Amino acid sequence: VYQKTSSLDFVKRMYPHLVLYERWLTSEKMSGADPDLIVYSNWCDVGWDDSKRWGKSGFLESADWALPVTPVDGNVYLSILRNTLSEFSNVLGDQELGREYAEKAANTRRAIDKRMWSREKGFYFDLLPNGEMMDVWTPAGFAPMMAKIPTEEMYSRPPPAPSRASPRRRCHSAAAATCSRRSISAATSRPKVRWSRFRSAPARSRC
């Protein structure tokens, strides 16, 4: 809003609330993996209730690893918040506090690059409580681009496509051979779906 309106009144009204929010995140959500990062304890923190970051099944109730998760996107938002506080501090005439928030934002960006960037895969990943990188691909890996964290070189090549598990199909014994051929084809290629094939196929051959 300030970038569009240059309203000093808006800055004065919002600044105290943003200061308290940043202070709360720093004290209540600090990551054990890195002091410059924060964590998500559950999907209520982010709204990704069916995200793979909670487990292979995609739901918090059946998480396959310990929580909390140190998220890529949440820490990108933290760095943006701190940059905003730095700018607002300077606007309000507190240059020293502005430098302090700018340093905090830079530390968070460096931690994201150092701890969450996979050079091998060319992508950003969440962290587990022990600090290890989670081998789960989510759209959160694109969030650093919002804050211009990755360099041009880092995204100079596209990351490899994540592995796709072979489809699980339940087949009647009479159609097992047909289903097996379809499973192999689906796992090794991405053909265009021809819906007419399904409409014309006899019911017993469907899997």
Side-chain angles (χ1 to χ4, degrees):
V1 174
Y2 173 73
Q3 291 177 346
K4 293 292 184 181
T5 65
S6 300
S7 171
L8 186 59
D9 181 62
F10 174 79
V11 173
K12 290 179 179 179
R13 284 188 291 111
M14 294 303 300
Y15 184 77
H17 302 289
L18 295 178
V19 168
L20 291 175
Y21 184 47
E22 191 274 342
R23 190 178 301 166
W24 179 80
L25 287 173
T26 302
S27 62
E28 299 296 327
K29 297 291 184 179
M30 181 178 292
S31 170
D34 193 293
D36 293 309
L37 301 175
I38 60 173
V39 298
Y40 282 162
S41 299
N42 54 59
W43 66 268
C44 299
D45 287 340
V46 60
W48 291 33
D49 53 322
D50 59 347
S51 173
K52 291 295 183 180
R53 69 195 344 165
W54 307 124
K56 296 176 183 178
S57 62
F59 289 93
L60 180 61
E61 290 78 4
S62 56
D64 299 302
W65 39 74
L67 299 176
V69 170
T70 303
V72 178
D73 53 337
N75 284 285
V76 169
Y77 304 148
L78 176 63
S79 72
I80 294 175
L81 170 62
R82 288 173 166 173
N83 272 331
T84 301
L85 283 169
S86 174
E87 181 180 357
F88 282 6
S89 296
N90 292 330
V91 168
L92 296 175
D94 194 335
Q95 307 298 325
E96 182 178 352
L97 194 55
R99 287 190 294 270
E100 181 180 329
Y101 280 122
E103 183 178 355
K104 284 186 174 183
N107 290 341
T108 299
R109 291 196 299 271
R110 281 193 292 268
I112 291 171
D113 263 346
K114 179 181 178 181
R115 304 301 302 271
M116 298 178 163
W117 170 257
S118 170
R119 184 181 298 273
E120 177 185 356
K121 298 178 180 178
F123 206 64
Y124 289 92
F125 294 90
D126 296 339
L127 301 178
L128 295 170
N130 61 5
E132 292 183 3
M133 194 175 293
M134 186 187 298
D135 190 19
V136 176
W137 297 71
T138 74
F142 293 106
M145 300 177 71
M146 298 171 56
K148 300 180 180 179
I149 294 176
T151 62
E152 181 97 15
E153 181 182 0
M154 292 170 73
Y155 276 139
S156 61
R157 64 178 178 82
S163 59
R164 299 171 59 194
S166 299
R168 297 178 180 178
R169 296 168 180 266
R170 296 179 179 177
C171 309
H172 296 293
S173 57
T178 301
C179 185
S180 177
R181 288 195 299 271
R182 290 178 183 173
S183 297
I184 294 173
S185 176
T188 56
S189 62
R190 300 178 65 181
K192 294 182 178 179
V193 177
R194 294 181 297 171
W195 297 108
S196 59
R197 174 166 62 93
F198 293 97
R199 288 197 297 269
S200 60
R204 65 176 178 276
S205 66
R206 296 179 182 176
C207 303

